[in-house]
Amino acid sequence: MNKITLWTGMVALGVVATMMNTNSVRADDGVPSITAGTAGVPRMDVVDVSSNNGIITVSDYKKMQTYGVKAVIVKLSESDSYKNPYAAKQIANAKEAGLQVGAYHYSWYATKADAQNEAKYFTNYASSLNLPKDTLMVDDLEESYTKNSGVSANAAAFNAQVKAAGYNNTSTYTYASYVNETKLNFSYIGNNRVWMAQYPYQPSSSSLWNSSYGMWQWNSNTNFPGVKGTFDVSIDYQNLIATIANGYNNGIFYQNSQPASGYYYSPSLSTANGGYNWFENGQPYTGFRYYMGTYYWFINGVRQNAGWREAWNMKYYTDENGRALQGVQTIGNNKYYFGDNGTYYLRTNETLQQGNETFKSDINGVLKPWKGYIYDGSSANGGYRWYEDGQLYTGFRYYMGTYYWFVDGVRQNEGWRHAWGYTYWTDSTGRAVQGHQTIAGKDYYFGNDGTYYMR
């Protein structure tokens, strides 16, 4: 772009004469040379290019991206008789590199009629290049021929004509001293749609200028390592163009112009689970993520279903819907315990009390009966047996209000029992009896004080 720039405390005068059908002479004298990647300078959201830059390869654009460039604004036309012969290739390569693309027209109009004619020339060329109607279309307003008392009305006419062609995403580019000299009024477009050029001698990210406008072009003499030539660079305050479309861009998945973190519809990655996948900083994620009240396990962004998982040096299990499990769970032929406090990890070498039953998990997390009358699938008494310290128990145990006799964990039914130096009798249901009992035609007395032994 052809510019005359007002610096703090001085006006930098530059060459403004431009030959038709050629690129405008740059006024870069005194503008500091900046190398992309220099610490402490403003962001380089946007570069603008013209035929002066020639063909810029996809590789060149990708190198710019590594320094934060998100968009390129390509010069299409000038006055009503010049078209940038490199525009089509500059646009195509920028898009292939994953950059947003805008367009600008270098204006020479001095009347409303001239402004409308130049706007038509601009939009006709944009249409021939198949630029979408939402493309940012910029009126580059800096040429001395445009400086007259009607400049605000002329710029408004240009803007209206561009919109009449269906390009409603418009902007005006100019520089600070131009505005001071012409009293250009931005009411036709609004300050937030203005792209202001002004170059500090020592650009700094801690001293950002022109933040009341949509964009600020802060240097016109920037080089990108590995890329031929120098470029204009701008910071896009209002996301006029640096907004990156949702979806994949140069290998990174974006939402709302930022590398995405979360569960997003992205069938291009995987159509499993309805096409939803998990991303962290724009990359498919592997591991657990908390979502909708529980944890899910993802591999390369894809939610997994039933299976064992390992994370944070712990083991977990997710069910057929991909949710991490808690509590006691039967998996295969074994039971496991995953806690009940929102931690979800498999417990090993721990005891678990459930009512009157105690279990203990082994080194692999398998729950083993430890103490109490516990279902273990045995053939007697509906599959229940009595355990003490993980061993099948022989002897009396108090359960459900009375004493029962067990042999190798199996509850015995009717019969004589001997324990603690006394004799007892259990009935047909295995309960120790009290009081007077007739057994095999004889009367016996077992007390009535809860001691159960035969007197």
Side-chain angles (χ1 to χ4, degrees), residues 152 172 174 179 184-191 194 196 213:
S152 296
T172 296
T174 191
V179 177
L184 176 60
N185 187 328
F186 295 122
S187 59
Y188 67 93
I189 197 168
N191 283 3
V194 172
M196 184 62 68
Y213 297 109

Side-chain angles (χ1 to χ4, degrees), residues 109-372:
Y109 55 74
T111 66
K112 287 184 181 180
D114 289 344
Q116 290 168 335
N117 286 335
E118 290 193 30
K120 291 177 183 178
Y121 188 71
F122 179 36
T123 56
N124 286 342
Y125 191 28
S127 294
S128 72
L129 294 172
N130 296 314
L131 285 178
K133 294 299 183 181
D134 61 354
T135 300
L136 182 68
M137 301 285 278
V138 182
D139 178 9
D140 179 1
L141 197 54
E142 55 181 306
E143 173 57 46
S144 60
Y145 284 100
T146 63
K147 295 178 180 179
N148 60 48
S149 60
V151 64
S152 296
N154 297 342
F158 182 97
N159 189 66
Q161 183 59 51
V162 171
K163 289 187 173 183
Y167 291 97
N168 291 307
N169 186 14
T170 60
S171 175
T172 296
Y173 170 92
T174 191
Y175 54 94
S177 61
Y178 184 101
V179 177
N180 292 337
E181 181 181 348
T182 65
K183 309 304 178 187
L184 176 60
N185 187 328
F186 295 122
S187 59
Y188 67 93
I189 197 168
N191 283 3
N192 65 332
R193 306 296 302 178
V194 172
W195 183 8
M196 184 62 68
Q198 192 176 20
Y199 308 148
Y201 278 130
Q202 295 180 321
S204 170
S205 58
S206 62
S207 179
L208 299 179
W209 296 5
N210 297 299
S211 59
S212 62
Y213 297 109
M215 290 198 294
W216 170 39
Q217 187 183 80
W218 56 270
N219 187 265
S220 63
N221 194 20
T222 294
N223 67 85
F224 291 87
V227 180
K228 182 180 178 181
T230 58
F231 297 85
D232 305 335
V233 292
S234 302
I235 182 171
D236 187 354
Y237 291 123
Q238 296 291 331
N239 287 329
L240 294 187
I241 190 171
T243 299
I244 298 177
N246 289 346
Y248 269 105
N249 190 307
N250 196 32
I252 298 174
F253 189 80
Y254 284 86
Q255 288 289 305
N256 301 319
S257 298
Q258 299 296 323
S261 292
Y263 203 37
Y264 290 101
Y265 182 69
S266 48
S268 61
L269 174 64
S270 171
T271 57
N273 306 312
Y276 282 84
N277 300 283
W278 195 282
F279 296 87
E280 288 292 333
N281 296 316
Q283 298 296 330
Y285 180 73
T286 294
F288 275 117
R289 276 297 176 258
Y290 192 79
Y291 181 70
M292 299 291 286
T294 189
Y295 285 90
Y296 292 83
W297 180 260
F298 299 88
I299 295 178
N300 292 326
V302 180
R303 192 199 76 211
Q304 306 299 298
N305 297 327
W308 288 100
R309 317 298 174 195
E310 292 191 20
W312 310 299
N313 296 318
M314 302 288 186
K315 285 188 176 181
Y316 304 81
Y317 194 84
T318 55
D319 65 14
E320 66 276 7
N321 295 311
R323 300 180 180 91
L325 296 177
Q326 290 197 94
V328 175
Q329 302 291 336
T330 299
I331 302 169
N333 296 320
N334 296 316
K335 286 188 176 182
Y336 302 86
Y337 180 55
F338 297 90
D340 289 296
N341 59 354
T343 54
Y344 300 91
Y345 68 86
L346 175 68
R347 270 54 174 181
T348 59
N349 297 316
E350 290 187 16
T351 56
L352 170 66
Q353 185 75 36
Q354 288 194 308
N356 293 320
E357 301 174 350
T358 302
F359 298 84
K360 186 173 183 178
S361 56
D362 64 16
I363 191 172
N364 296 312
V366 177
L367 283 177
K368 304 288 187 180
W370 192 252
K371 184 176 183 179

